[in-house]
Amino acid sequence: MYIRDTLQGYGIVSRLFHWSMAIAIIGMFALGVWMVTLDYYSPYYNAAPNFHRSLGILLLIALLVRWLWRAANVRPSSEELSPFERKAAHVTHAGFYVLLLALLISGYLISTPDGQPIDVFGWFEVPSIVQARGLESSAGYVHRIIAYVVMALAVLHTLAALKHHFVNRDRILNRMWSGPARPAINPEEESH
């Protein structure tokens, strides 16, 4: 098992970042859509947004650490991709990073314009930096739009990965699912 990324695929750290963040972001989207339907008398009226905010801060930290990890690793080869697919993959990945950062910052701005910090699961607090009356409304609008754009991009990303796996039958999806291919073992070398 590879810890670091190689030219043949992603190591375990990158794969854990990818899949855990993907699950968390989809879950956060579903939670956000559900939260806006809650009325004041719901037992989850305060608990759901508190959980959403706390997980959002952890996702922001994970995103920043993921950027550092990505910068410290080689990128798997994109030779299997056509020039168009290479460009589309680059735009999609860059788009994810920019949109996720904007999504998480706008979520922070929804929660803190009144000067109150965000309590992250009781572990630590993130202070309010920008205090402006009415900021939560415009930040909320931006947050909602970006969330839907991220989900649309995630659907396209998933469809592209499935196309590579089932139609092209290449290793693009496997590189992120199971990592670099295992080197072939020569039976003569194994007996020594």
Side-chain angles (χ1 to χ4, degrees):
M1 177 182 303
Y2 293 92
I3 293 173
R4 296 180 65 90
D5 301 345
T6 71
L7 291 174
Q8 292 74 39
Y10 294 96
I12 189 68
V13 174
S14 292
R15 293 191 333 251
L16 285 173
F17 268 125
H18 178 274
W19 294 109
S20 61
M21 287 184 73
I23 291 166
I25 289 164
I26 292 167
M28 288 282 280
F29 178 78
L31 178 60
V33 169
W34 174 69
M35 274 183 349
V36 298
T37 67
L38 298 176
D39 65 17
Y40 183 75
Y41 299 103
S42 169
Y44 304 107
Y45 184 77
N46 289 315
N50 288 339
F51 180 82
H52 191 82
R53 281 189 285 272
S54 292
L55 189 54
I57 294 297
L58 295 181
L59 278 170
L60 177 58
I61 293 167
L63 181 66
L64 298 175
V65 172
R66 185 176 182 180
W67 279 348
L68 293 173
W69 182 256
R70 184 172 176 164
N73 279 271
V74 298
R75 290 209 174 89
S77 171
S78 59
E79 290 178 7
E80 293 180 77
L81 302 175
S82 71
F84 170 77
E85 290 172 329
R86 226 175 275 131
K87 184 69 170 172
H90 176 73
V91 168
T92 300
H93 289 110
F96 267 129
Y97 284 122
V98 169
L99 288 168
L100 287 174
L101 183 61
L103 181 67
L104 295 166
I105 289 173
S106 64
Y108 168 82
L109 293 174
I110 294 168
S111 303
T112 59
D114 62 354
Q116 294 297 311
I118 295 175
D119 179 353
V120 181
F121 296 119
W123 301 335
F124 61 93
E125 288 185 345
V126 178
S128 172
I129 297 171
V130 178
Q131 293 153 24
R133 190 169 195 85
L135 180 60
E136 63 274 8
S137 295
S138 52
Y141 175 77
V142 169
H143 190 72
R144 184 174 59 249
I145 298 300
I146 294 173
Y148 279 99
V149 172
V150 165
M151 286 300 107
L153 195 58
V155 168
L156 289 174
H157 181 66
T158 302
L159 291 174
L162 292 174
K163 178 237 181 216
H164 278 283
H165 191 72
F166 292 109
V167 176
N168 296 19
R169 298 194 180 278
D170 58 29
R171 281 204 33 86
I172 297 297
L173 178 60
N174 287 338
R175 297 181 328 175
M176 186 53 82
W177 186 255
S178 57
R182 306 275 188 267
I185 297 175
N186 184 341
E188 291 176 14
E189 291 176 8
E190 193 174 80
S191 64
H192 294 279

